Amino acid sequence: MDDWVYPLGTARDGNWDISLGTSDSAAQIDGWAHTGLKVATLEPGATVTLAAAAEERIVVPLNGAFTVTIDGTDYPLAGRASVFAGPCDVIYSGIDKAVTISSADGGRVAIATAPARLEYPTRHVTAAEIPVELRGSGNCSRQVHNFGTPATLEADRFIVCEVITPAGNWSSYPPHKHDETKDGETALEEIYYFETQAAAGFPAPPDGDAIAYHRVYASDDRPIDVNAEVRTGDTVLVPYGWHGPAMAAPGYDLYYLNVMAGPGPVRDWLISDDPHHGWIRQTWDPANIDPRLPFSPKR
């Protein structure tokens, strides 16, 4: 699991809380080539900069508001109180552009990256423009913010979204894979960046331990066996294999940011379900979405 699971603090690099798979990452991961993630915590007035590189990027506020400067233009990102407060502004930079991020009041910010060749224009996607999808049913219900998917964003390589799973629910389920290029499937690496919180209405102590779980296992003769307990700031890489469920433990809400990209000619999220569990999809009733969704942090 050492190559694929990064608890908070284990992927730190200088000013970055997390730096994995990007063009300037200090550590290169064997067998990892198509996606990257950086996360920074900024004090009030602080700034971080990513030099121009042959990678496309999406800047995603986790908490707080930010100003992103690209090609001399400032783009204000309204931000949010936390990842559980609903969608927020994001910005796509395209390739070969330096990106500077600052915050007057401080906050935490994520940058999804993917090596790319084709140039697409900078795009400021506001919170109001982001499609919010309610996926699944019953205790498989979750909420997806599709700000970096092909239907929403023109880009070269990557697909980026974020998911909120209410306490006690399962997401990334049934287990599925996208590790080969064939009819009905595209080969995509995937990053899961996690955050957790005590759910509203539960008497969790202030120093509680908000936990969730994530599973990845082999789909062919390539060995992988991840069954990770995750918390805020933890990251799991999925190079191949069946992955799911991502489980929100009772009493704790779960958030994750997904970054996907691959070598194939088609930018699309096409998956195969684990044949042992794919039948679960047929039991879902669209009328039976968890009533806690759309998610409200004040419910």
Side-chain angles (χ1 to χ4, degrees):
M1 288 192 354
D2 290 348
D3 287 337
W4 313 127
V5 180
Y6 292 85
L8 177 64
T10 60
R12 183 177 295 279
D13 181 15
N15 293 326
W16 298 101
D17 301 334
I18 297 170
S19 182
L20 292 168
T22 57
S23 61
D24 66 346
S25 291
Q28 297 302 309
I29 302 164
D30 228 10
W32 197 259
H34 304 291
T35 56
L37 176 71
K38 298 179 91 74
V39 175
T41 302
L42 298 187
E43 297 297 323
T47 296
V48 290
T49 297
L50 289 81
E55 63 183 20
E56 53 189 357
R57 297 158 173 162
I58 292 183
V59 179
V60 183
L62 300 173
N63 71 274
F66 298 86
T67 298
V68 179
T69 304
I70 302 170
D71 286 341
T73 300
D74 290 342
Y75 298 89
L77 302 186
R80 52 190 167 184
S82 83
V83 294
F84 297 99
C88 70
D89 296 1
V90 303
I91 192 160
Y92 170 81
S93 73
I95 63 171
D96 297 323
K97 295 179 181 179
V99 176
T100 298
I101 304 167
S102 60
S103 178
D105 298 319
R108 294 176 58 250
V109 62
I111 303 95
T113 73
R117 294 189 301 256
L118 300 181
E119 185 173 349
Y120 287 84
T122 297
R123 169 91 186 278
H124 182 190
V125 185
T126 67
E129 295 176 287
I130 295 173
V132 175
E133 174 190 1
L134 301 185
R135 185 180 297 172
S137 175
N139 64 357
C140 292
S141 302
R142 59 271 205 187
Q143 177 173 320
V144 187
H145 302 156
N146 288 308
F147 53 78
T149 54
T152 304
L153 179 72
E154 283 191 309
D156 182 15
R157 306 308 307 163
F158 65 11
I159 299 169
V160 186
C161 65
E162 58 185 10
V163 180
I164 297 175
T165 308
N169 285 10
W170 285 26
S171 58
S172 285
Y173 193 75
H176 57 278
K177 74 179 184 77
H178 37 73
D179 59 11
E180 58 183 323
T181 299
K182 63 179 185 178
D183 286 346
E185 186 175 333
T186 45
L188 300 167
E189 289 179 347
E190 186 164 11
I191 297 173
Y192 281 72
Y193 165 80
F194 296 97
E195 297 207 7
T196 54
Q197 71 168 12
F202 284 81
D207 59 349
D209 184 21
I211 57 171
Y213 296 88
H214 187 58
R215 179 81 172 113
V216 187
Y217 56 99
S219 60
D220 51 29
D221 59 358
R222 292 171 293 180
I224 187 168
D225 188 5
V226 173
N227 193 11
E229 187 173 275
V230 295
R231 298 168 173 82
T232 293
D234 294 352
T235 306
V236 175
L237 307 184
V238 182
Y240 46 79
W242 308 113
H243 46 286
M247 296 171 279
Y252 303 111
D253 299 318
L254 172 64
Y255 163 95
Y256 51 87
L257 174 67
N258 279 150
V259 185
M260 292 174 276
V266 178
R267 179 181 170 242
D268 203 356
W269 184 65
L270 302 177
I271 64 171
S272 298
D273 286 336
D274 183 333
H276 294 97
H277 307 296
W279 63 269
I280 293 291
R281 289 190 193 275
Q282 309 309 313
T283 70
W284 292 346
D285 179 357
N288 191 30
I289 290 286
D290 191 311
R292 294 175 291 178
L293 299 176
F295 192 88
S296 169
K298 297 180 180 179
R299 65 180 189 279

